[in-house]
Amino acid sequence: MKSHQIIFKQNLPISLDQAWDFFSSPLNLAKITPDDMEFIVTSSLQPDTKMYPGMIFTYKVSPLFGIKLNWMTEITQMEEGKYFIDEQRFGPFKFWHHQHHFKAIAGGVEMTDILTYGLPMGILGEMAHAIMVGNKVKEIFTFRENKTNELFGKF
């Protein structure tokens, strides 16, 4: 299996505490996911639910062609206010490891996402990555950057 890694950085003009409060809530993921992906949390979570190591939550998502897929995520590691790591337990990828890092900077917070993933189906998966999946992943993170700028202001 070939793996792919993408690193995204974004600065926001909010405090580290504000950033952590927003991004450590699984329910807020729907707010920063493109509407056409029809992201729906299927776990019964309360609005004030915060992530913790070992937390598992599920959702439905339609990443391509409107096909609804089930996805299960586990928060495998977390250090309050610094980082958390989510990993797909089942879903469309063969491997998904997503690190979210937060660092206070002058005037705001720097967020760094390090996403490492692999696709199933060998060479067919790699062809799909070259044709559409790689671009779709970048599109999702571009949307997320634009949406968080809209929600919190641009740095």
Side-chain angles (χ1 to χ4, degrees):
M1 174 190 74
K2 182 175 179 177
S3 66
H4 303 274
Q5 187 172 75
I6 303 173
I7 299 173
F8 299 91
K9 286 190 181 238
Q10 181 177 10
N11 295 339
L12 291 173
I14 59 176
S15 71
L16 177 60
D17 287 343
Q18 288 171 299
W20 184 261
D21 186 58
F22 182 82
F23 289 98
S24 67
S25 170
L27 294 175
N28 285 335
L29 188 53
K31 295 176 183 174
I32 58 172
T33 300
D35 292 340
D36 67 342
M37 292 187 65
E38 301 177 33
F39 183 94
I40 300 167
V41 174
T42 56
S43 294
S44 47
L45 301 174
Q46 299 303 311
D48 61 345
T49 300
K50 296 296 178 193
M51 293 179 184
Y52 56 86
M55 178 184 202
I56 291 178
F57 57 96
T58 58
Y59 44 94
K60 288 190 180 291
V61 65
S62 300
L64 297 169
F65 312 120
I67 300 168
K68 290 197 182 303
L69 302 172
N70 292 311
W71 192 317
M72 177 183 281
T73 292
E74 179 180 358
I75 304 303
T76 58
Q77 298 177 49
M78 186 181 93
E79 187 172 338
E80 184 84 23
K82 293 188 178 182
Y83 76 93
F84 64 88
I85 298 172
D86 68 83
E87 295 185 3
Q88 174 193 282
R89 288 297 169 241
F90 70 78
F93 291 87
K94 184 166 186 164
F95 177 79
W96 178 277
H97 182 270
H98 185 187
Q99 301 176 48
H100 308 255
H101 296 269
F102 301 85
K103 179 172 75 172
I105 58 172
V109 65
E110 176 186 83
M111 300 184 313
T112 303
D113 287 281
I114 304 169
L115 174 61
T116 307
Y117 64 95
L119 297 169
M121 302 189 314
I123 191 72
L124 293 176
E126 286 310 305
M127 289 171 54
H129 185 268
I131 294 168
M132 69 184 125
V133 175
N135 288 334
K136 185 67 175 180
V137 170
K138 289 176 188 169
E139 178 185 307
I140 291 165
F141 278 87
T142 298
F143 178 90
R144 177 181 173 179
E145 178 180 24
N146 293 334
K147 191 65 174 180
T148 54
N149 284 338
E150 181 183 309
L151 290 169
F152 302 111
K154 196 166 178 161
F155 193 80

